[in-house]
Amino acid sequence: MTTANLRVAVVGAGQMGADHIARFSHKISGAEVVAVVEPDEARAKAAVAGLPEASTRTRIEDALEKDSIDAVLIATPGPFHEAVLLPALEAGVEILCEKPLTPDSESSLRILQAEQQLDRPHIQLGFMRRFDAEYIALRELIASADAGALLMLHCAHRNASTGEGYTSSMLITDSVVHEMDVIPWLVGEPIAAVEVKKARKNSLAPAWLDDPQLIIFETISGVLADVEINVNVQFGYQVTTEAVFEKGIAEIGKTAGLMRWQDASFGGVEHVSFKTRFAAAYDSQVQRWVNAARNGTIDGPSAWDGFLAATVSEAAVEAQTTGKRVAVQYAVAKPDFYN
Amino acid sequence: MTTANLRVAVVGAGQMGADHIARFSHKISGAEVVAVVEPDEARAKAAVAGLPEASTRTRIEDALEKDSIDAVLIATPGPFHEAVLLPALEAGVEILCEKPLTPDSESSLRILQAEQQLDRPHIQLGFMRRFDAEYIALRELIASADAGALLMLHCAHRNASTGEGYTSSMLITDSVVHEMDVIPWLVGEPIAAVEVKKARKNSLAPAWLDDPQLIIFETISGVLADVEINVNVQFGYQVTTEAVFEKGIAEIGKTAGLMRWQDASFGGVEHVSFKTRFAAAYDSQVQRWVNAARNGTIDGPSAWDGFLAATVSEAAVEAQTTGKRVAVQYAVAKPDFYN
Amino acid sequence: MTTANLRVAVVGAGQMGADHIARFSHKISGAEVVAVVEPDEARAKAAVAGLPEASTRTRIEDALEKDSIDAVLIATPGPFHEAVLLPALEAGVEILCEKPLTPDSESSLRILQAEQQLDRPHIQLGFMRRFDAEYIALRELIASADAGALLMLHCAHRNASTGEGYTSSMLITDSVVHEMDVIPWLVGEPIAAVEVKKARKNSLAPAWLDDPQLIIFETISGVLADVEINVNVQFGYQVTTEAVFEKGIAEIGKTAGLMRWQDASFGGVEHVSFKTRFAAAYDSQVQRWVNAARNGTIDGPSAWDGFLAATVSEAAVEAQTTGKRVAVQYAVAKPDFYN
Amino acid sequence: MTTANLRVAVVGAGQMGADHIARFSHKISGAEVVAVVEPDEARAKAAVAGLPEASTRTRIEDALEKDSIDAVLIATPGPFHEAVLLPALEAGVEILCEKPLTPDSESSLRILQAEQQLDRPHIQLGFMRRFDAEYIALRELIASADAGALLMLHCAHRNASTGEGYTSSMLITDSVVHEMDVIPWLVGEPIAAVEVKKARKNSLAPAWLDDPQLIIFETISGVLADVEINVNVQFGYQVTTEAVFEKGIAEIGKTAGLMRWQDASFGGVEHVSFKTRFAAAYDSQVQRWVNAARNGTIDGPSAWDGFLAATVSEAAVEAQTTGKRVAVQYAVAKPDFYN
């Protein structure tokens, strides 16, 4: 590992980008933000306020000039990823890209092709759940076969509420996409089919939104993984998984911490945002990416994982629209490049 | 209420019947077992060993003679219920009948018709979950609308293992039948449709058994209730329900009690049998039935609930066989007699 | 065991007595209340309202006449126990006596002497914690030595609030008396010394009451058992014990049941009364006493245990008054009669 | 804040020092280890193996030469602290000193005097519990008075086992010293008295060690804080606190995470080392110290807190030896310098 700090350009200075910029300043060893790429100049200025040596840019191409950066962290909305990924790959810098890789499998394939022009994978994808201690513990339990083979997963993905721009298909493409990555990662094999069922509608959800829904995935060996996607639960932010094995059960995602007894009841505090629920996972993800990038490698989900998720996502949207079970077809087999 | 003890004939002296006989001796106020009806004489003798004043009979008709009993508790297998229910109804005695009412909706209808010849319902059905403190608390929470309307239920029904005679259709007719009763009771409305999905097979289950499976019920207002039926889990006996409301979540069925910390871990003891898991519910069910019977009424699920469960059960077996969603059709509307 | 019901006279028709009368009517097998002894006639009449065949008496002697009862359950305040116990012992009936046996060790000794005129112990004492499932599980764990020898106990005894007549010494004699019985029963040996420390006073407790306090018991082998007695906690009724072993820890008394997630928090319901917290223990205690009494024996703490608790109680009040550690001196050794 | 990294010398390359060196490399933003001070040359070399630009020194004075460092982190045993603290203070560098400040109150006073020659406090003391999320939550709850005033604390401090050099007085000076800091920090006022009681001895503890013991602290307003110190519990590493308020209870320190059901039981994994139990607290402590040091301040317990703990520690050792309650006398009042 080089001893020099990794020079990072953060692309996108919205909520997610600002979070990452603060993370580099306060928690991450071995990296510093040297540029912020953001078309909105006021927002860009605000983002670098505490970073006197960081520059602001409106275009990724400017940041990539003259070998002034080693890496980019992409925190723009998904539809803008391709326009950043392609020049960044061409420049050969290290990349941490927030999920999704791109909004559809076709554009994801283009990214895979561009990346394969390089010597090795340069893109790490921001599926941060893989860095959550409980998900890691569950994956190890599954891999150990200590409780026998895995048979089913029951997942719940609950958000307090959604905003104006959030549509029914985004239940799949924006939210359940996390399960599309983490289920194959847990099970150790790809998703083979998907079906979607609508539950009784939550009257507190926006009128246009069919919320909640039940998504049922099957992996190739027949593991059933049902996902309750429920994004106007009001009470908090909660992501849980119950794994059903041949001779045991395991559960992750229930909140703990300080417990109180008062007023004839007892209990604790639930998360209300992914930021606190997955704070440690985000920190770990970025630190491990920095460590890997300084060593010329990645240490997390790759662009290939992003392509898989994009493909499953399209099948799930079709399942949601048709009400039918949809078999998932992957356009290409996994290139050796990603093994 | 009369002050005299209710004179009960227990029909069937197998495991369930023996359990009930012991219950009357050790825990139930206001009733006594005066007869045991059981064709196997040795078993019958064993059952009354501690009851010097109780007689044994091989046929229900003998027990019903000469006004010598006030009530029958039927603990034979389901296929034998009709042959006991019809003469018992004719004799006008009080009846507590273990689930199911009868094995199919057609025979259940015959029971409904026979019972309607009487002045009021005489049959209480042994769906004991309705007497479990946590189920009752969940039902009250749903009825209160304190967390908004109910949208989904996630149920798990897990047994340690099954014996030789247990078939794939019995997953539905023998096990999930409990959920078929308790889901409408919780939600407050009937089941409208059912679908069945097979998960990856447990290699520890018998070769002929597709275990576990996922049963998905819809109620008439659109509440989705998924049930993991999983009867060779090895680790214990566990029945849980998670209820998803518009602004909250509730969960029942997780074991508690003495907690230990030892050997780098912590935890407690899980049930391994329905007998301990639902012991208090069985006691409460029988006591409340006795109290009601002494007052000339019932206090629990009726034959009508048994007919509903039999109808849903048939639809679920069809769904299991065809792999398709099956709409549930009830042959008759609810008679006023049962309101 | 005789098949005839045990004919019980309940002495005292206050809150506790009324509770027991209802218990016999609704939950206990093999016994019936045939008399209520209560000087307040209106209260006595109310108590037998649902029991047409039960008589009311103002004096225990009247109830004991003419062999009309088999047993008495004493539910009067402690200072009145001796006046009931002595004639009941003389009549040779079975006795379940609410704690304490009597208010002091001297009068308890008189009861011991009277009882030893009989063929065997007739008095069972109402320390109901011994019938609580978690206490029983903890005792079994201690006896098993599965986690090594027991070294310490941390107990908490919390009541929502206390009334006007409740004094600082009653913290000991009325409340901690339960721990004085249950600690030796758990540990398997007597208490050897006691010390009392006052904590910061709860401003919500009555002005005259030093509440909470910390009572520290030592058993003869050196097990330290500290008890937080805290009787104006407002939030509920909670009785917990943490046991510290050589290689592990165990904890009992934390409430479970239905869990809810709502309003950015999660939790469940805490007890607010001993009546619900120990409901099952009371039922079990009375049923097991009835079963034993019908067989001419007792099945629970004896008058000897009451004498031990009375002796410890006096030492603890002295420790509370003096602020000093007080060694406990038992006036007599355990008679063979009680082995 | 300066943008330059804080140049840190780590003093002591034992287990604790090595841990901190790894922390700077992998988790801490804004600081780098430039020197390791360690008399054992082999150990020193090993410590800087991954740090090509860091030097090794055998004496603190060498590291302090020529303005080559900005800060020192002292990770040697307590008896060696003074010899590092005094020259480091003289050099005016920033200091993070592992607990205790020094082994006794007299030497701690000397440190206070030396530090007051500077413009402001330069020493932050390594009581890492103040950076644990649950301790912070408990302190906020106490400060909020949301559950009324605090009345009692029940603390448990449990280690799996102790080594050869660990003596009975180290129960106090090495282990309970953490509670001596955190209790006043939680309660908001100093400790006024202390008493020590020996429990039944753990036969698995070394023969020379009276383990476990119960330490009872009183703060100046009368809050009682009992501490079970128990350092050969075998089962794991566990640090818990239960806080008793006027109208509620709160508890911290119970482990959570992945829960499993298997083999007729359920449970999770307990910590076995302070390194995992307090990993996040150590990270937070060091990061916040780095951030503060770069701004010319401290952000945690000061040398004054170290002096208080040293004073209480001496009183507690006296209480342990004499078996008596010992009032704590602080030699000096808090200088304005530390406000």
Side-chain angles (χ1 to χ4, degrees), chain A residues 1-4 294, chain D residues 21 25 32-36 44-56:
Chain A
M1 190 188 290
T2 169
T3 57
R294 291 171 80 192
Chain D
I21 291 166
S25 295
E32 58 190 309
V33 174
V34 297
V36 171
K45 291 279 183 223
V48 298
L51 302 169
E53 295 173 19
S55 62
T56 62

Side-chain angles (χ1 to χ4, degrees), chain C residues 35-56:
Chain C
V36 171
V37 180
E38 165 65 54
D40 179 331
E41 280 190 55
R43 183 183 275 179
K45 293 278 181 223
V48 297
L51 302 168
E53 297 172 18
S55 61
T56 63

Side-chain angles (χ1 to χ4, degrees), chain D:
Chain D
M1 190 187 289
T2 168
T3 56
N5 272 350
L6 193 76
R7 296 167 303 165
V8 179
V10 172
V11 185
Q15 190 192 49
M16 202 78 193
D19 246 37
H20 278 304
I21 291 166
R23 184 168 284 112
F24 281 110
S25 295
H26 301 311
K27 296 184 171 173
I28 301 301
S29 178
E32 58 190 309
V33 174
V34 297
V36 171
V37 181
E38 166 65 53
D40 178 333
E41 280 190 55
R43 184 183 275 179
K45 291 279 183 223
V48 298
L51 302 169
E53 295 173 19
S55 62
T56 62
R57 308 284 181 176
T58 52
R59 300 168 58 250
I60 179 64
E61 288 78 3
D62 301 335
L64 290 166
E65 272 177 1
K66 301 184 209 167
D67 285 330
S68 60
I69 63 169
D70 305 310
V72 297
L73 188 160
I74 305 175
T76 61
F80 301 100
H81 286 184
E82 187 174 8
V84 180
L85 285 165
L86 292 177
L89 284 172
E90 197 163 352
V93 297
E94 308 301 331
I95 302 168
L96 178 58
C97 179
E98 277 299 333
K99 62 90 197 166
L101 182 61
T102 65
D104 56 76
S105 64
E106 202 180 312
S107 53
S108 288
L109 261 183
R110 286 196 296 270
I111 303 301
L112 291 188
Q113 284 154 1
E115 190 176 34
Q116 289 177 73
Q117 306 310 310
L118 302 178
D119 55 331
R120 54 160 182 88
H122 278 234
I123 300 172
Q124 182 170 326
L125 204 54
F127 284 124
M128 80 293 180
R129 290 191 190 175
R130 296 195 187 193
F131 297 90
D132 176 70
E134 294 190 19
Y135 272 103
I136 292 168
L138 178 56
R139 187 170 187 246
E140 287 171 356
L141 178 58
I142 294 170
S144 75
D146 214 30
L150 181 72
L151 306 178
M152 303 177 94
L153 292 171
H154 304 302
C155 310
H157 183 142
R158 295 160 180 153
N159 284 66
S161 61
T162 51
E164 285 207 9
Y166 194 96
T167 64
S168 283
S169 68
M170 287 172 74
L171 286 170
I172 307 267
T173 58
D174 208 64
S175 297
V176 181
V177 70
H178 279 291
E179 275 80 13
M180 293 176 196
D181 177 65
V182 88
I183 289 169
W185 178 74
L186 286 172
V187 181
E189 61 184 31
I191 288 169
V194 56
E195 191 170 344
V196 177
K197 296 190 173 293
K198 290 171 187 168
R200 185 173 174 189
K201 188 182 180 313
N202 188 343
S203 68
L204 304 172
W208 63 84
L209 201 65
D210 281 322
D211 179 29
Q213 302 192 18
L214 186 71
I215 321 292
I216 304 168
F217 296 105
E218 303 162 37
T219 71
I220 55 173
S221 76
V223 173
L224 274 189
D226 49 85
V227 180
E228 174 202 323
I229 179 68
N230 196 354
V231 295
N232 287 275
V233 295
Q234 316 296 318
F235 77 90
Y237 176 83
Q238 188 181 51
V239 172
T240 63
T241 296
E242 188 180 24
V244 180
F245 298 90
E246 290 184 311
K247 49 185 180 180
I249 304 288
E251 185 186 45
I252 62 171
K254 291 283 171 72
T255 304
L258 183 146
M259 292 292 288
R260 276 175 85 172
W261 285 257
Q262 201 163 338
D263 297 331
S265 64
F266 69 92
V269 172
E270 181 54 282
H271 289 283
V272 294
S273 161
F274 68 93
K275 287 194 199 172
T276 57
R277 168 64 180 86
F278 286 111
Y282 277 112
D283 293 348
S284 172
Q285 171 188 258
V286 174
Q287 185 67 63
R288 282 176 55 183
W289 170 66
V290 166
N291 295 352
R294 292 170 80 192
N295 277 322
T297 179
I298 65 172
D299 184 12
S302 70
W304 175 252
D305 297 302
F307 163 73
L308 293 180
T311 304
V312 176
S313 196
E314 287 169 349
V317 170
E318 184 188 337
Q320 190 186 44
T321 310
T322 62
K324 302 235 161 88
R325 176 181 179 279
V326 174
V328 180
Q329 307 285 352
Y330 300 97
V332 297
K334 190 173 185 178
D336 283 342
F337 184 83
Y338 290 105
N339 286 328

Side-chain angles (χ1 to χ4, degrees), chain C residues 156-320:
Chain C
H157 185 140
R158 296 160 180 153
N159 284 67
S161 61
T162 50
E164 284 207 10
Y166 195 96
T167 64
S168 284
S169 68
M170 287 173 74
L171 285 169
I172 307 267
T173 58
D174 208 63
S175 297
V176 181
V177 71
H178 279 291
E179 275 80 11
M180 292 177 197
D181 176 66
V182 89
I183 290 169
W185 178 74
L186 287 171
V187 180
E189 61 184 32
I191 288 170
V194 56
E195 191 170 343
V196 177
K197 296 188 172 293
K198 291 172 186 170
R200 187 173 173 189
K201 188 182 181 312
N202 188 343
S203 68
L204 304 173
W208 62 84
L209 201 65
D210 282 321
D211 180 29
Q213 302 191 17
L214 186 72
I215 322 292
I216 303 169
F217 296 105
E218 303 162 38
T219 71
I220 55 173
S221 76
V223 173
L224 275 189
D226 50 84
V227 181
E228 173 201 323
I229 179 67
N230 196 355
V231 294
N232 286 276
V233 296
Q234 317 296 318
F235 77 90
Y237 177 83
Q238 188 181 51
V239 172
T240 64
T241 296
E242 188 180 25
V244 180
F245 298 90
E246 290 184 311
K247 49 187 180 179
I249 304 289
E251 185 185 46
I252 62 171
K254 292 284 171 70
T255 304
L258 183 148
M259 292 291 290
R260 276 176 85 172
W261 284 256
Q262 200 163 338
D263 296 330
S265 63
F266 68 93
V269 172
E270 182 54 283
H271 290 284
V272 293
S273 161
F274 68 93
K275 287 195 201 171
T276 57
R277 167 65 180 86
F278 287 111
Y282 277 111
D283 293 347
S284 171
Q285 170 188 257
V286 174
Q287 184 68 61
R288 282 176 55 186
W289 170 67
V290 167
N291 295 351
R294 292 170 80 193
N295 278 322
T297 178
I298 65 172
D299 184 12
S302 69
W304 174 252
D305 297 301
F307 164 73
L308 294 180
T311 305
V312 176
S313 195
E314 287 169 348
V317 169
E318 183 187 338
Q320 189 186 45

